[in-house]
Amino acid sequence: SWIVHGNQPCTYTSYCQDVETGKTFHLRRPEDNTAHLQQVYDDLNGATTNRRKAQQLCNLIEQQDPDKLFKLTVDYPDNQHNFVPFLNTEIKIDSDGIVHSRLYRKPQKKPLTLHYNSHHTTRTKNATVESMYNTAEAVSNNRENEKYSDKMIDKLLINNGYNDRVLNTIKKKRKRRKRSNQNVQNKDQDGAILKLPYVNEATSRKYRDAVRHSGLPIKIVEKPGRKLKDLLTDSRPLDKKSCTTSNCRTCSALTDGECTTTNTVYHITCEVDNCTENYGGETYRPLKCRFDEHYRSAANPTAKSYEDKPLAKHYRESHPQHTGPPKLKLQIVDRGTSLINRKIKEARFLVENKPTLKDKTEL
């Protein structure tokens, strides 16, 4: 986004954030007139001719919020020669109207990336470094700005254990790959994925040689082992595993366990007038989040957005005279360790118990 600074074009970026918390929000009001805050955007851009009109644009957007919960601020360049940051790019328009762009990193951002001595495969490190240089090239509008972006990446990587020899080797491979138009990423995506633990480079070569000689369409993905940091520290020590919501509808409906449990296969039974209709499903999210969706569909069975939902259809057809909140019983049937594992356990539960309310047409 750009405006005119004096008689010279320059750039600006606007941010939407909550006045009290600093978080970025967009306000919407549903039919029941209840205010809901949804995190939608944090960076905006628009075209104006001067600073005054840029501020007027921000004021007009702020006025759309009846509760005055968010505020837009505008960044201007100090002078016509300065760049203005926008996401991972900084932009400038020169006196000829040409847009210049190059890579940008926030000053407060720690100079850390995948370390050269980390317990990851060489292929992973090389791919990470190449991706960083690809980004630097993509956001730079000319060779001069690309050199500036490359130097920024060089400095970051050297700070993380890489040396000039390693970086020059990666850059040469990247150039050769571009010249030969090899699409290694698409090639690697062919075939079944085989996940194996990463031990060292010698073991990795044996893995790949065995697959190559077998002729099987297999792509090997090596996962690094657990680090001391994973065993000895917790990145989110203040997170509470138990429910902190008073009068939690999920806890009230749950027969056993915690509403914050994730990666579950669950069973819901309707208890209106001794009804035994039931539904089975699975979710990776906290169980509370998924149950709330079912609860809202049962509480608003005639709403157009819920008309095809199993519980909404059940309450609309079987309990049209029911008033008050839905009466649902919730049970955690099983827990999964991965997406496939959870899906298999859900399918097994549905086949064995045959819930009467279902939206799984393939079963």
Side-chain angles (χ1 to χ4, degrees):
S1 56
W2 41 84
I3 63 172
V4 174
H5 175 55
N7 293 322
Q8 302 295 337
C10 60
T11 60
Y12 79 93
T13 304
S14 55
Y15 304 91
C16 171
Q17 61 182 164
D18 190 306
V19 176
E20 296 182 357
T21 66
K23 294 183 178 180
T24 54
F25 292 104
H26 168 69
L27 187 74
R28 68 175 176 86
R29 286 187 179 275
E31 295 178 357
D32 60 1
N33 205 37
T34 302
H36 295 272
L37 288 175
Q38 288 186 319
Q39 187 167 351
V40 176
Y41 55 76
D42 59 0
D43 296 292
L44 307 172
N45 61 70
T48 63
T49 55
N50 52 51
R51 290 192 178 200
R52 182 179 59 83
K53 290 187 177 180
Q55 190 58 56
Q56 285 180 344
L57 178 62
C58 292
N59 295 339
L60 287 173
I61 297 175
E62 291 174 8
Q63 291 170 9
Q64 303 307 307
D65 173 19
D67 297 320
K68 310 300 181 187
L69 293 177
F70 64 79
K71 181 179 177 59
L72 294 173
T73 60
V74 185
D75 279 349
Y76 301 98
D78 295 332
N79 57 64
Q80 66 189 54
H81 303 294
N82 286 2
F83 285 78
V84 169
F86 181 69
L87 300 177
N88 67 336
T89 308
E90 53 181 8
I91 307 170
K92 177 184 75 172
I93 301 179
D94 63 20
S95 57
D96 296 324
I98 299 175
V99 179
H100 295 264
S101 61
R102 62 191 188 188
L103 188 67
Y104 172 74
R105 283 177 62 87
K106 294 181 179 180
Q108 65 269 29
K109 192 171 184 179
K110 293 183 179 179
L112 299 176
T113 186
L114 185 62
H115 200 279
Y116 181 72
N117 295 323
S118 64
H119 192 63
H120 291 79
T121 66
T122 301
R123 287 165 58 95
T124 300
K125 295 171 187 174
N126 289 350
T128 301
V129 172
E130 284 195 31
S131 176
M132 296 171 71
Y133 283 117
N134 289 339
T135 300
E137 180 183 1
V139 301
S140 303
N141 72 303
N142 56 37
R143 184 56 188 160
E144 180 182 354
N145 286 328
E146 185 179 345
K147 288 181 179 180
Y148 174 90
S149 301
D150 284 349
K151 287 182 180 179
M152 186 181 296
I153 299 298
D154 291 343
K155 183 178 179 180
L156 173 64
L157 292 172
I158 290 174
N159 186 68
N160 285 271
Y162 298 82
N163 56 48
D164 291 335
R165 181 183 60 80
V166 173
L167 295 182
N168 288 333
T169 301
I170 294 175
K171 289 178 181 179
K172 289 179 181 178
K173 289 182 179 179
R174 177 171 170 265
K175 288 181 179 179
R176 288 199 298 268
R177 184 173 294 114
K178 288 178 64 178
R179 284 197 298 265
S180 59
N181 293 322
Q182 291 179 344
N183 196 333
V184 176
Q185 182 178 358
N186 289 340
K187 181 179 177 182
D188 286 348
Q189 288 177 348
D190 295 337
I193 294 177
L194 175 62
K195 291 184 179 180
L196 296 172
Y198 173 67
V199 181
N200 51 48
E201 286 301 310
T203 306
S204 296
R205 284 194 293 271
K206 291 180 180 179
Y207 286 159
R208 299 185 186 284
D209 288 344
V211 170
R212 186 165 54 253
H213 292 316
S214 70
L216 296 174
I218 295 176
K219 175 190 174 183
I220 292 181
V221 175
E222 293 171 285
K223 299 179 62 178
R226 299 188 69 186
K227 308 176 184 66
L228 286 175
K229 176 182 175 182
D230 301 327
L231 299 174
L232 302 177
T233 65
D234 187 349
S235 61
R236 307 187 68 169
L238 300 180
D239 283 0
K240 296 183 178 180
K241 305 299 182 182
S242 59
C243 179
T244 58
T245 304
S246 58
N247 301 320
C248 175
R249 61 169 69 115
T250 307
C251 291
S252 300
L254 195 58
T255 57
D256 188 26
E258 295 283 350
C259 71
T260 55
T261 306
T262 59
N263 224 5
T264 59
V265 178
Y266 58 88
H267 184 217
I268 297 176
T269 304
C270 175
E271 294 189 321
V272 174
D273 299 329
N274 297 320
C275 179
T276 58
E277 299 288 296
N278 56 95
Y279 173 88
E282 57 83 21
T283 183
Y284 171 76
R285 298 176 294 162
L287 184 59
K288 176 181 179 178
C289 297
R290 186 68 181 111
F291 181 75
D292 279 347
E293 294 172 349
H294 289 304
Y295 188 94
R296 287 195 298 270
S297 69
N300 302 278
T302 59
K304 188 175 182 180
S305 57
Y306 297 131
E307 62 183 1
D308 295 327
K309 303 298 182 182
L311 287 172
K313 186 177 180 181
H314 170 66
Y315 268 76
R316 188 170 61 248
E317 296 177 354
S318 302
H319 308 298
Q321 306 302 323
H322 177 71
T323 58
K327 295 182 179 180
L328 302 173
K329 182 177 73 173
L330 175 63
Q331 178 186 6
I332 298 176
V333 176
D334 208 338
R335 296 194 63 187
T337 56
S338 66
L339 172 63
I340 294 177
N341 177 264
R342 194 173 67 249
K343 290 287 187 181
I344 291 174
K345 290 184 175 181
E346 180 203 23
R348 185 178 298 163
F349 172 78
L350 297 179
V351 169
E352 291 176 354
N353 296 274
K354 296 181 173 56
T356 53
L357 307 175
K358 60 182 181 180
D359 53 3
K360 305 288 191 301
T361 56
E362 66 272 19
L363 295 176

